[in-house]
Amino acid sequence: MSLIQVRDIHKVFGRKADKAVEMLKEGQDRESVEAATGTTPAVIDASFDVERGEIFVVMGLSGSGKSTLVRCLNLIHRPTSGQVVIDGIDIGTLSPAELRALRSEKISMVFQHFGLFPHRTVLDNAMWGLEVRQVPMNERRTRALEALRLVGLDGWEDSYPGELSGGMQQRVGLARALATDADILLMDEAFSALDPLIRSEMQEQLVNLQQELQKTIVFITHDLNEAMYLGDRIAMMKDGRIVQIGTAEEILQDPANDYVEAFVQDVDRSRVLTASAVMEEPIATILRREGPKAALKHMRERQITALFVVDPNRRLIGAALDDDVIAAVRSGSGKLDDILHYDVLTVSPDTPLVDLLIPAAESRLPLAVVEDGRLVGVIPRVTLLAALGGSHRDAMEDQNAAVATATPSTGVE
Amino acid sequence: MNLQDVRIPIGDWVDAMVDWLTINLVWMFDGISDILGSLIDALETALQFPPALVTIAVLALIALFARNWKFSLFTALSFGLIVTMGQWEAAMSTLALVLVASILAVLLGVPLGIIAARNQAFSALLRPVLDFMQTMPSFVYLIPAIIFFGIGKVPGVVATIVFSMPPGARLTELGLRQVDAEVVEAGEAFGASPAKILTRVQIPLALPTIMAGINQVIMLALSMVVIAGIVGAGGLGAEVFRGVTRLNVGLGFEGGLSVVILAVFLDRVTGAFGSKASSRTSK
């Protein structure tokens, strides 16, 4: 079962909130409901699940309701309708004391402007969650110090937040959230207030921490690159509604509507997309035992100039080029081994496209995508260029169908 | 019909209400009178009983603790001046009245401000009441105070509390409302109870503003206590009033100067505590 289950939640601000939800459920649009009831629908009909250990990013522009949505997950905002189920418990049914216990034990939060207590030291800030839970002083200290060490702030425990830089302040915020050892981390635009350089540093740190800690993270951001970098899955929000949920690749390759499409246009695809997303079926392959004559036949039939040579388990052995094959056939050699090129450039499926450019430029062959020694796909240069240019899967597939046989050969002079 | 002929007898109504209160709640006013009276007497004795030099030394120490040696020296010299002007007893009596009235005004005003900061409806209700209390000419409070509590120090203190309380409530509300919403949310998000958020987060962060309010309360209390000298509250107010009725400029000036010295001392000391509170939070 998913750790967090969000079911049809609406959050409407204003006196006639219930009436507004009713109208929204009847299918009226946000503007007319706003006009008719004088309310502000911030979140409309949001449903999603977050799996244990996942980084789930909610992405949207300001006013899209994303910050309200994340506050519904720990009931800082109580949804006007709908359910939030955490670890099997509908948190809307909890008593105030139970809710406080849930917040101090299961869910912690990191804030955009850090939300630190300026009158308390870094250590006292980090201890807050434990202090609230009345953990004994010794343990409080040990755990807070451990959390500060995790985020790289050891030695700063007696400073005040005002004495630290923005990046360091947010580390305190992160340490405060980690100290309670909650399973769920809500991060509301946690890095948005930081300088670009510090921001990417923090993003990397979060990814590293996540590998170690395996928290369930709901991360709010308005920065698509950040969303794509951090998110295992991304929910795109617009005007209070979730318009698409999917992995970064799914959203880039197959935007649900024009809004998402327009949005993802500016994304640096080369960093988000990986080899596995753009690679194609390896067609130009031949088994090693088939020999030069068979190779020549393949090349002629498919009008290509090179073949990847594999063993029966599709393990990549090398590549054969047309001139070598013709020479071998003339000399009457029965084996491919003598003419194989073993220096084929291979990449792994999770290599980002940006790291494929130089190999692609240097290689005469399409890039071979290899996983555990097996050839799982090839990336001809044209495919790489098309992917960077932002053509969608559909367009690319049409294109591929048209030039199916020609494409693999474009990598070869 | 001419509007001037219409007479809405608000004055009569207020008279009737005051009459009713005096008859029916006499036990309550007597109780308040007893408690306040003994509080004032105790504090007055504490300030007047020791030799003036001892009291001055204590005040100078407070000044040193609150600010620095310069202010401490100023305090010692200026209070010494009060002694040499023969105003010492009156000044200590006034100081006692001011302290009792301000402490009670703060004890009433700050909680009102806290409630107002948390409850919009209460805030909307409280605001015009505070406006009324602050703008009504201060002398007017003395009339019912005398009726309820008779002549003396108690009505003076009661009128002073009413007059000086508003800034305490107002600035407490303002200070609490100005605390960064995200910081309060951070308190909430980690499961803190509302009481804990109030005492550990909101009040510490609002303290500079609350202290500014308390400073205002004390200053207003001092000005009102002097006025209350007219109705027999004694102290410097009585000295100044005597100066006025006898057209004795010298006496009036000596009393007035003593008031100024008290005011400077109280303002600087409370102001110093306010800025101490803010030095941490503004970082």
Side-chain angles (χ1 to χ4, degrees):
Chain A
M1 190 184 53
S2 308
L3 185 56
I4 306 175
Q5 296 170 299
V6 175
R7 293 284 167 268
D8 313 317
I9 61 171
H10 286 76
K11 175 65 191 178
V12 179
F13 293 103
R15 280 168 187 245
K16 295 184 192 161
D18 291 325
K19 170 88 181 132
V21 168
E22 225 169 85
M23 290 170 69
L24 288 164
K25 281 183 176 165
E26 283 163 12
Q28 302 201 38
D29 62 36
R30 181 178 165 165
E31 285 73 26
S32 54
V33 171
E34 234 168 73
T37 58
T39 57
T40 313
V43 176
I44 303 167
D45 196 22
S47 297
F48 57 88
D49 290 342
V50 182
E51 306 300 330
R52 222 171 262 279
E54 183 181 29
I55 299 188
F56 185 84
V57 174
V58 179
M59 146 86 215
L61 297 180
S62 53
S64 63
K66 55 193 191 306
S67 286
T68 309
L69 178 63
V70 76
R71 281 167 174 71
C72 287
L73 301 184
N74 61 359
L75 296 197
I76 285 191
H77 290 327
R78 206 166 266 275
T80 317
S81 82
Q83 277 186 319
V84 177
V85 180
I86 288 182
D87 216 359
I89 300 162
D90 177 354
I91 61 172
T93 63
L94 297 177
S95 70
E98 287 169 331
L99 179 62
R100 287 202 292 273
L102 177 89
R103 285 173 180 168
S104 73
E105 284 159 26
K106 277 225 169 93
I107 309 178
S108 55
M109 193 161 178
V110 180
F111 295 85
Q112 178 172 8
H113 302 291
F114 324 136
L116 298 178
F117 308 121
H119 59 300
R120 308 176 121 224
T121 63
V122 166
L123 182 65
D124 284 339
N125 266 284
M127 291 197 299
W128 172 251
L130 301 168
E131 181 186 327
V132 165
R133 216 196 287 170
Q134 293 176 337
V135 170
M137 190 62 196
N138 277 340
E139 192 190 336
R140 236 187 254 178
R141 223 183 124 78
T142 323
R143 287 171 65 177
L145 285 171
E146 170 63 16
L148 287 171
R149 193 192 60 73
L150 268 180
V151 300
L153 278 182
D154 19 7
W156 292 91
E157 32 315 319
D158 296 327
S159 307
Y160 283 85
E163 298 162 3
L164 306 184
S165 70
M168 289 165 83
Q169 290 191 28
Q170 191 56 301
R171 278 169 221 254
V172 179
L174 195 55
R176 178 174 64 184
L178 292 175
T180 65
D181 208 19
D183 296 336
I184 301 172
L185 215 54
L186 305 178
M187 304 186 71
D188 180 21
E189 300 244 20
F191 304 149
S192 300
L194 304 175
D195 298 338
L197 214 64
I198 310 282
R199 189 194 300 189
S200 52
E201 202 177 290
M202 292 292 284
Q203 290 166 355
E204 277 165 33
Q205 187 175 29
L206 182 66
V207 169
N208 292 339
L209 276 174
Q210 170 66 355
Q211 271 169 2
E212 191 177 332
L213 302 174
Q214 290 296 308
K215 301 280 181 194
T216 303
I217 301 177
V218 178
F219 194 102
I220 307 298
T221 182
H222 64 257
D223 177 347
L224 192 57
N225 284 315
E226 182 170 76
M228 301 240 158
Y229 178 73
L230 292 175
D232 291 316
R233 284 188 305 142
I234 299 166
M236 301 280 294
M237 277 190 93
K238 182 186 184 252
D239 297 340
R241 293 180 197 270
I242 295 180
V243 291
Q244 185 171 12
I245 298 180
T247 63
E249 289 176 4
E250 282 165 6
I251 286 175
L252 263 186
Q253 303 281 34
D254 189 15
N257 58 26
D258 294 348
Y259 174 77
V260 180
E261 190 178 334
F263 213 103
V264 299
Q265 233 161 24
D266 296 332
V267 164
D268 185 353
R269 281 154 202 280
S270 69
R271 286 175 197 285
V272 175
L273 293 181
T274 56
S276 63
V278 299
M279 69 186 185
E280 294 174 359
E281 261 318 276
I283 309 168
T285 60
I286 183 168
L287 288 173
R288 174 195 221 167
R289 60 162 191 263
E290 284 186 76
K293 280 187 187 159
L296 194 59
K297 180 167 173 276
H298 273 295
M299 288 180 176
R300 203 176 284 146
E301 277 171 6
R302 296 180 197 166
Q303 299 177 5
I304 51 179
T305 58
L307 290 171
F308 287 111
V309 180
V310 296
D311 73 2
N313 291 323
R314 291 188 77 78
R315 286 184 176 283
L316 180 66
I317 297 163
L321 298 181
D322 50 0
D323 38 0
D324 296 336
V325 170
I326 290 166
V329 170
R330 281 194 187 141
S331 70
S333 162
K335 287 210 162 189
L336 276 173
D337 294 19
D338 308 334
I339 56 160
L340 278 191
H341 291 257
Y342 295 101
D343 54 346
V344 181
L345 282 173
T346 61
V347 295
S348 78
D350 53 5
T351 315
L353 297 194
V354 66
D355 295 334
L356 299 182
L357 297 174
I358 291 170
E362 286 173 351
S363 172
R364 290 180 66 196
L365 294 161
L367 291 173
V369 184
V370 173
E371 191 170 26
D372 301 331
R374 282 200 181 78
L375 182 66
V376 293
V378 296
I379 306 176
R381 248 182 260 179
V382 65
T383 310
L384 187 56
L385 294 176
L388 291 175
S391 2
H392 308 141
R393 187 58 111 182
D394 301 346
M396 270 167 57
E397 266 158 17
D398 296 346
Q399 196 185 343
N400 292 344
V403 291
T405 48
T407 313
S409 68
T410 46
V412 178
E413 301 299 322
Chain B
M1 190 175 97
N2 199 332
L3 201 55
Q4 267 108 45
D5 299 337
V6 183
R7 173 91 177 107
I8 301 177
I10 289 183
D12 295 347
W13 294 341
V14 172
D15 283 348
M17 193 182 74
V18 169
D19 284 348
W20 185 88
L21 287 174
T22 14
I23 293 162
N24 291 284
L25 292 179
V26 77
W27 54 271
M28 191 183 80
F29 294 123
D30 285 352
I32 293 175
S33 185
D34 287 349
I35 295 168
L36 276 183
S38 42
L39 264 177
I40 297 162
D41 287 344
L43 194 56
E44 211 176 54
T45 315
L47 288 168
Q48 287 175 342
F49 179 71
L53 278 179
V54 174
T55 310
I56 290 175
V58 171
L59 295 175
L61 269 179
I62 292 174
L64 183 67
F65 174 70
R67 293 183 85 92
N68 51 33
W69 66 269
K70 285 184 204 163
F71 180 55
S72 178
L73 184 66
F74 168 81
T75 303
L77 292 178
S78 58
F79 278 84
L81 182 63
I82 296 180
V83 179
T84 56
M85 290 190 297
Q87 299 286 351
W88 181 252
E89 292 229 333
M92 287 306 104
S93 166
T94 294
L95 187 58
L97 290 182
V98 168
L99 289 179
V100 169
S102 326
I103 289 168
L104 290 173
V106 167
L107 287 180
L108 286 171
V110 170
L112 284 177
I114 291 172
I115 301 171
R118 302 168 82 81
N119 185 324
Q120 207 56 51
F122 184 78
S123 170
L125 197 75
L126 184 66
R127 198 164 308 143
V129 176
L130 293 180
D131 287 340
F132 181 91
M133 283 163 68
Q134 230 178 346
T135 45
M136 178 65 90
S138 47
F139 291 94
V140 179
Y141 295 123
L142 290 171
I143 309 165
I146 293 167
I147 295 172
F148 294 145
F149 301 106
I151 294 265
K153 297 189 158 104
V154 175
V157 165
V158 171
T160 304
I161 291 170
V162 174
F163 181 68
S164 64
M165 193 188 67
R170 244 193 254 279
L171 286 169
T172 300
E173 180 184 353
L174 178 73
L176 290 176
R177 283 185 188 276
Q178 277 174 342
V179 173
D180 186 356
E182 211 180 53
V183 174
V184 177
E185 260 182 4
E188 224 179 317
F190 286 88
S193 61
K196 185 146 193 154
I197 292 172
L198 182 71
T199 55
R200 299 291 176 83
V201 180
Q202 290 174 300
I203 289 183
L205 290 178
L207 204 56
T209 314
I210 296 176
M211 283 307 298
I214 291 175
N215 176 277
Q216 290 290 302
V217 167
I218 293 176
M219 292 296 105
L220 284 181
L222 182 60
S223 68
M224 184 65 196
V225 159
V226 172
I227 292 167
I230 302 169
V231 296
L236 294 171
E239 296 294 306
V240 174
F241 189 57
R242 203 136 31 106
V244 173
T245 48
R246 295 183 193 167
L247 283 178
N248 183 340
V249 182
L251 181 61
F253 187 80
E254 281 178 352
L257 188 59
S258 304
V259 171
V260 172
I261 290 168
L262 274 186
V264 170
F265 175 76
L266 290 170
D267 179 61
R268 293 300 137 86
V269 168
T270 52
F273 286 126
S275 54
K276 271 191 184 156
S278 69
S279 68
R280 191 100 281 165
T281 54
S282 63
K283 258 187 191 162

